[in-house]
Amino acid sequence: MYEILKQIATPAIITGLISSLYAYFQKKKEDYRKYVYENKQENFKELVVYADELVDKGITNPDLEKLLFKISQKINPYGRKIKTFGKYQWIEDDGYVWYQIEIIEKKLASQILQIEDLKELAHRIQISKRLLDIKVENNIPLINSAKIWFNLFQYAMLLLQLFFIYSGYKSFIEQPTLLSSSLIFWLLVVVILIFLLPELSVNESDDRNPEIGITLLSFFIAGVDAWTAYYLFNNSFIAFLGGMGSLLLIVGEVISKAFIFGGSEIGKVSTIYIEEYRKLQGPELSKRRFINNFRVIPFFNKIKNLFHKDKREGNDDL
């Protein structure tokens, strides 16, 4: 068994596996883009016509209810009062369009509908079309500083894991022990988390558990790297440097991902419609606000709260 493992786990094969993992994530993005293009592009051609009809015929349109039904057939049905996912998913599922449709239906029943309500729905349809156009057209992402830093942090983390694997090749593969086998397993888990953690950090769930989970996973990654460094070099200082370097890199990766999301089209839309989403989630969110797109790590929220607390105390003293 160990002989087979030695033949399989060569540096070239390990590098190939990591490259395959990266290619897999890229292909998933391409498949999703193709899905969006083929299934929603035609719908939005009709939706734009409906949006024009909303504004042109106004509140006197005798077929307004029928027109609203046609619009609801062309948008994502999962966005209506969605509670299962976070704000990001609500935007993806056209939840903000559903919200305005329901407002119009209520006002129409109460005979207090105004043309501004219809214009707002038309505007939201245009936003949804804009989001779709970005997904379809943005085959090559625009280069900005946040994306550059994100790639640098991600590649640096991958290189660090490869360095550990290569440095411990003899211990991990040629003369494996229970401890070394455990370390190589957790290093491979860390490689997966390097790709997964940034995506989880901008999932925008309104439960505190994902925030805690992201923080714990960040320290877990740093702990695995520190443990591995100590095992390989038997030096506490090197283990400390390895762990701190790993922690800084993974935190930098998550923060840069948050900046990318905050500057994206969907990040802007989700910022605009924060309060609407909160209303639909019920009273459990009445005492807390959303995390800013640039504050995905709880540590920064604590700093922000402390700053505001000091500021309030200073005002009280005055």
Side-chain angles (χ1 to χ4, degrees), residues 163-164 167 228-236 238:
F163 170 74
F164 286 143
S167 298
T228 304
Y230 183 79
Y231 175 80
L232 293 174
F233 303 104
N234 196 26
N235 187 302
S236 300
I238 293 178

Side-chain angles (χ1 to χ4, degrees), residues 201-265:
S201 69
V202 294
N203 196 33
E204 297 236 340
S205 172
D206 292 286
D207 190 357
R208 294 291 297 182
N209 292 331
E211 301 172 31
I212 297 170
I214 290 166
T215 304
L216 291 176
L217 284 174
S218 299
F219 281 101
F220 166 77
I221 291 171
V224 170
D225 286 343
W227 184 22
T228 304
Y230 183 79
Y231 175 80
L232 293 174
F233 303 104
N234 196 26
N235 187 302
S236 300
F237 181 69
I238 293 178
F240 173 77
L241 288 180
M244 285 302 298
S246 176
L247 183 62
L248 290 174
L249 287 174
I250 196 64
V251 169
E253 187 182 348
V254 171
I255 291 175
S256 55
K257 180 67 177 182
F259 274 93
I260 292 170
F261 175 75
S264 67
E265 291 285 330

Side-chain angles (χ1 to χ4, degrees), residues 60-79:
T60 59
N61 183 3
D63 297 322
L64 181 56
E65 289 188 35
K66 189 182 296 184
L67 181 59
L68 292 174
F69 179 72
K70 288 181 180 179
I71 292 172
S72 68
Q73 287 183 308
K74 298 296 180 181
I75 61 177
N76 198 316
Y78 298 107

Side-chain angles (χ1 to χ4, degrees), residues 72-259:
S72 68
Q73 287 183 308
K74 298 296 180 181
I75 61 177
N76 198 316
Y78 298 107
R80 189 163 194 157
K81 293 187 178 181
I82 189 168
K83 294 176 180 288
T84 308
F85 303 104
K87 180 179 57 170
Y88 176 88
Q89 188 65 41
W90 184 68
I91 296 296
E92 285 278 274
D93 291 338
D94 301 321
Y96 58 105
V97 181
W98 277 111
Y99 184 88
Q100 187 64 20
I101 289 175
E102 291 183 347
I103 287 178
I104 292 173
E105 289 174 341
K106 290 176 183 177
K107 288 188 175 183
L108 187 61
S110 303
Q111 297 183 339
I112 57 174
L113 184 66
Q114 297 180 346
I115 187 63
E116 286 75 15
D117 300 315
L118 300 181
K119 287 181 178 179
E120 178 62 25
L121 177 57
H123 172 66
R124 295 186 185 209
I125 290 172
Q126 290 292 341
I127 289 177
S128 291
K129 184 179 183 301
R130 166 70 176 173
L131 291 175
L132 178 62
D133 290 342
I134 289 295
K135 291 174 185 175
V136 172
E137 296 170 3
N138 197 20
N139 291 318
I140 302 175
L142 298 175
I143 301 298
N144 59 45
S145 58
K147 289 181 179 179
I148 292 173
W149 280 109
F150 173 76
N151 289 325
L152 286 175
F153 285 130
Q154 191 172 64
Y155 292 150
M157 276 297 293
L158 287 172
L159 287 174
L160 182 62
Q161 310 316 310
L162 285 174
F163 170 74
F164 286 143
I165 293 172
Y166 291 161
S167 298
Y169 182 76
K170 185 175 181 180
S171 300
F172 293 147
I173 307 301
E174 294 184 356
Q175 298 174 356
T177 63
L178 180 61
L179 179 57
S180 64
S181 298
S182 299
L183 283 174
I184 191 65
F185 170 77
W186 291 119
L187 282 174
L188 293 176
V189 172
V190 167
V191 170
I192 296 173
L193 288 176
I194 290 170
F195 294 98
L196 187 61
L197 196 59
E199 303 302 324
L200 293 175
S201 69
V202 294
N203 196 33
E204 297 236 340
S205 172
D206 292 286
D207 190 357
R208 294 291 297 182
N209 292 331
E211 301 172 31
I212 297 170
I214 290 166
T215 304
L216 291 176
L217 284 174
S218 299
F219 281 101
F220 166 77
I221 291 171
V224 170
D225 286 343
W227 184 22
T228 304
Y230 183 79
Y231 175 80
L232 293 174
F233 303 104
N234 196 26
N235 187 302
S236 300
F237 181 69
I238 293 178
F240 173 77
L241 288 180
M244 285 302 298
S246 176
L247 183 62
L248 290 174
L249 287 174
I250 196 64
V251 169
E253 187 182 348
V254 171
I255 291 175
S256 55
K257 180 67 177 182
F259 274 93

